[in-house]
Amino acid sequence: MGEEKVLSLSNLVMRYPNKQVLNGINLDVYPGQIIGYIGPNGAGKSTTIKIILGLVSGYEGTVEIFGKNIATGGHDYKRRIGYVPENADVYDQLTAMEYLAFVGELYGMKREHAAEKANQMLAAFDLEERAHARASSFSKGMRQKVLIISSLLHDPDLIFLDEPLSGLDANSVMIVKELLEKLAERGKTIFYSSHIMDVVEKISNRIVLLTDGHIAADGTFEELRKESKEGSLEGIFNQLTGFVGHEETAISIADLITGAAAYGE
Amino acid sequence: MENDFRSLKLLDHLQFVFRKLGINYPVMRKILEMKLTMDQRRVPTIFSGNASEKKEGNQFVKSLWIYALYGIILIFFIFIGDNYMFQLGIIFGISMFILMTSLISDFSTVLLDVRDKTILHTKPVDDRTINAAKIVHLTLYMLMMTGAFLGIPAIVMLIYHGVGYFLLFLVSTVWMILFIIALTALVYIFILRHFNGDKLQDIINYVQIILSICLVIGYQVAIRVFDFVDLDIVYHFSWWHVFLPPIWFAAPFELILHHNTAVSTIVLSIIALLLPLIAIYLYYRLMPAFERNLEKLLDQTAMGKEKKRPFVAMWEKLLCRSNVERAYFRLAYILMGEERDFKLKVYPSLGIAMVFPFIFIFSQTQSFAEVSKGNGYFNIYLALLFIGVTVSMLRFSSKYKAAWILHAAPVEDVTKSYSAALKAMLIKLLLPIFMLIAVVFILIFSVRIIPDMLIVGTVAVPQTLISYKLLKGEDFPFSEKFEATS
């Protein structure tokens, strides 16, 4: 792949006062990739993303986006990034349309343009009727749709999604999965973070597994499978993160439940 | 929960009543214990002005002292006039206002707790027990609040007016409490039936704001009212008094203690006796419908029409240069109008800012002609006092977590976002209040003060900027949690 690197992390290290979160991450990402970015809780996934988005400072190493070091290049690079954090809040005193127009403007769009595009995207996600209702009255799934729209409205080239499907109904899940593929075909790069391995396995054309602040595996699903001899991404994940004995744990919990009931009688 | 509640121990003595009514007393007690524990971690509105740090213990019980303090104001009315209609009309009027607004602002959470639906109604507990817990919970608080508020006045009554008056007052008060609880619930039932949950929340929010304003203004007025001690008012019945609940409760005093057997007195006394009972009965009958309508608080089907905001569109074009600044202006403008927590913290001081200039002018013992020739219009500066508070509140939002978008977006200029927010504040909050006062002042003091008004208006801008400088807002506006500091 001789194309321009979209994102390049080299020797990325992040320390908090009592803990080292990232122990030297090296990663090069190219256009059209859908990266399944996985790892156990606390492995440093969201810290990486927050560093890239400039939400966290005080890291060591370099982060280059579209060939520019983000520490020195100003914040303009964010115009080309879309971001859906996990369980994100929105200013839900605003209506869906008002919020989307606001976000669009923050990303440098003209309000009329942002509003019109938002309206069409809301319609595409079957939310047209609720466009002018306060977001506080939205269900989790509707809010998630608004978040997804807000991250894509300005046509970003690099998209970070953290559990983007949570709360969505089955139909919308299919739309979003398909949408990500189409966007990748058009040269967009997608970072897809999730704990649901089946989805990551199907969606991604490259998987990066993070444990204890370093990259434990990096490659296509096929490559990882050959290496680990596990059949599913879930199996690979368990193997690489060194987790064994889920069955024993489950059995002991089940014992607690039924045992307690016996005492209660 | 190792809390021992004295109120619950007292209740234990009455448990036979609940058992008779087919209520599962141990379960009801458990629910109440949980509710009271949660209440210990809540701050009532009457306190919210200076809730600077987290305090331990039931804030409500501590706020009772404030009710007791406000109750002292009532003592004054015990001594005025010989006519009970007037005397008690005022006492019941003030009591009803304070108790009802407090009930709405602090106990709406009890009446409208939707969590009960998912937490309690899904468990093997019968509805009767859950509803009983709700009513007992509410009654406990109303009793404490009324006790604190009317306790001292009641003792003064006992000494000054004798036992008969005192006992009649106790009975009327209990009747009044029943009426207030039932009336509040019925109003909620009505609102929930015809509007959505959002509207109800808005109404509660405004009642809270009005309560805060009235407490401050009431205090100012009460100090000055002592100048009119010699007022001698003769009560005349008019037909519309039938619609004034405080008058109903005053009527039995005239009837029984003054043997005033005018038809109007008898009719009002009968109303006082019957209407609370009818209201309670209605409440009891409508309770199931009420519980069903509570679902609306979780309503997720509101459609909403597009809100055209022509004023914002005009002002942002006039005042903001860049797109981003315009976006912030609009965000700030909308949040200041829609966010309930923000309104609760800021709008009371707006109301006070609006009223104080007038109180200060007319508390001087001058005739209107004298006032209009004087320089009392300088009092308009009092209206600018709220700017400091409001600017410091711009940092906060109940949705402070939503500020992630401000950090993620390609905008790093905190100053610009603040300048937009400050402009929005001047337009949305200061301008209407200032214009209103200025117009009334010009009517009072004649057009000669127009230049002065213009100067005061201009002064507001540097004052806002200085307030902002003192605040040193380092993060974006609306990005901090309300509780942290205030």
Side-chain angles (χ1 to χ4, degrees), chain B residues 135-294:
Chain B
I135 292 172
V136 172
H137 186 197
L138 218 54
T139 314
L140 267 179
Y141 274 124
M142 281 305 274
L143 282 177
M144 280 156 77
M145 207 157 73
T146 317
F149 186 61
L150 294 176
I152 301 171
I155 292 167
V156 176
M157 285 174 191
L158 178 63
I159 298 165
Y160 189 74
H161 286 298
V163 182
Y165 186 101
F166 174 74
L167 290 177
L168 199 53
F169 183 72
L170 284 192
V171 176
S172 316
T173 305
V174 171
W175 237 239
M176 181 183 74
I177 295 174
L178 286 180
F179 181 67
I180 289 172
I181 294 181
L183 184 67
T184 309
L186 287 173
V187 169
Y188 285 179
I189 290 171
F190 175 81
I191 296 170
L192 276 178
R193 182 166 288 179
H194 296 279
F195 304 99
N196 55 18
D198 238 17
K199 197 44 126 234
L200 183 63
Q201 301 281 7
D202 274 340
I203 292 170
I204 293 170
N205 189 227
Y206 276 107
V207 170
Q208 290 173 319
I209 292 166
I210 290 167
L211 173 66
S212 310
I213 296 174
C214 286
L215 288 178
V216 177
I217 293 172
Y219 177 73
Q220 288 292 328
V221 171
I223 303 172
R224 291 169 169 80
V225 123
F226 288 91
D227 297 338
F228 308 108
V229 183
D230 52 341
L231 92 176
D232 195 20
I233 289 156
V234 186
Y235 174 80
H236 293 292
F237 176 77
S238 311
W239 61 270
W240 51 269
H241 290 177
V242 175
F243 299 105
L244 297 178
I247 302 278
W248 309 340
F249 295 110
F253 288 78
E254 272 291 303
L255 180 69
I256 296 171
L257 299 174
H258 277 175
H259 307 291
N260 176 344
T261 49
V263 181
S264 63
T265 320
I266 295 174
V267 171
L268 288 171
S269 300
I270 292 171
I271 295 176
L273 182 70
L274 291 184
L275 224 76
L277 293 177
I278 295 171
I280 286 281
Y281 177 73
L282 262 177
Y283 173 44
Y284 175 74
R285 290 302 302 267
L286 292 172
M287 192 112 150
F290 180 53
E291 294 290 328
R292 250 180 290 127
N293 279 327
L294 270 188

Side-chain angles (χ1 to χ4, degrees), chain B residues 312-456:
Chain B
V312 200
M314 181 185 81
W315 285 111
E316 66 186 9
K317 279 204 188 85
L318 281 173
L319 297 174
C320 304
R321 264 163 291 165
S322 68
N323 270 345
V324 171
E325 200 183 352
R326 233 167 282 162
Y328 276 115
F329 182 88
R330 185 169 279 241
L331 174 77
Y333 194 97
I334 297 174
L335 285 185
M336 278 188 273
E338 304 277 350
E339 177 156 336
R340 296 193 186 100
D341 281 339
F342 182 85
K343 288 200 275 190
L344 189 55
K345 305 246 169 193
V346 170
Y347 281 26
S349 50
L350 295 185
I352 291 161
M354 202 148 69
V355 177
F356 264 26
F358 296 101
I359 291 184
F360 276 81
I361 288 177
F362 291 105
S363 63
Q364 290 145 7
T365 46
Q366 285 177 316
S367 71
F368 186 81
E370 279 175 284
V371 167
S372 71
K373 285 200 193 77
N375 56 6
Y377 56 85
F378 283 135
N379 280 311
I380 196 171
Y381 277 110
L382 287 169
L384 302 186
L385 283 178
F386 82 92
I387 288 179
V389 188
T390 311
V391 169
S392 71
M393 281 295 162
L394 287 176
R395 277 186 294 167
F396 305 109
S397 168
S398 51
K399 277 278 155 189
Y400 67 102
K401 281 185 181 162
W404 67 267
I405 186 70
L406 308 179
H407 293 275
V411 188
E412 256 156 41
D413 205 345
V414 174
T415 336
K416 194 165 281 172
S417 63
Y418 252 111
S419 88
L422 293 175
K423 283 174 191 167
M425 184 210 81
L426 286 174
I427 297 301
K428 164 99 188 166
L429 304 178
L430 180 78
L431 193 67
I433 290 176
F434 180 75
M435 289 300 279
L436 193 90
I437 301 176
V439 166
V440 178
F441 271 22
I442 289 169
L443 290 178
I444 297 173
F445 295 98
S446 86
V447 289
R448 73 189 160 95
I449 64 162
I450 289 179
D452 299 82
M453 293 297 109
L454 289 176
I455 292 169
V456 179

Side-chain angles (χ1 to χ4, degrees), chain A residues 53 55 75 78-79 83 85 88-94 98-99 102-103 105-107 109-111 129-130 132-134 136-139 142-143 147, chain B residues 198 299-306 309 316 323 326-327 330-331 334-335 338-340 398-399 401-412 478:
Chain A
L53 278 157
L55 302 182
H75 58 72
K78 289 188 190 175
R79 261 177 221 280
Y83 176 41
D89 282 274
V90 300
Y91 284 115
D92 62 12
Q93 301 92 337
L94 273 58
E98 283 170 345
Y99 182 73
F102 170 67
V103 175
E105 270 185 298
L106 287 187
Y107 280 94
M109 298 172 77
K110 278 251 159 46
R111 179 178 302 142
E129 286 182 328
R130 308 293 300 272
H132 299 294
R134 266 198 218 179
S136 56
S137 70
F138 281 19
S139 70
M142 296 179 195
R143 209 167 296 201
L147 277 169
Chain B
D198 238 17
D299 191 14
Q300 296 185 333
T301 54
M303 291 296 178
K305 275 192 218 107
E306 180 171 5
R309 302 181 192 269
E316 66 186 9
N323 270 345
R326 233 167 282 162
R330 185 169 279 241
L331 174 77
I334 297 174
L335 285 185
E338 304 277 350
E339 177 156 336
R340 296 193 186 100
S398 51
K399 277 278 155 189
K401 281 185 181 162
W404 67 267
I405 186 70
L406 308 179
H407 293 275
V411 188
E412 256 156 41
F478 307 111

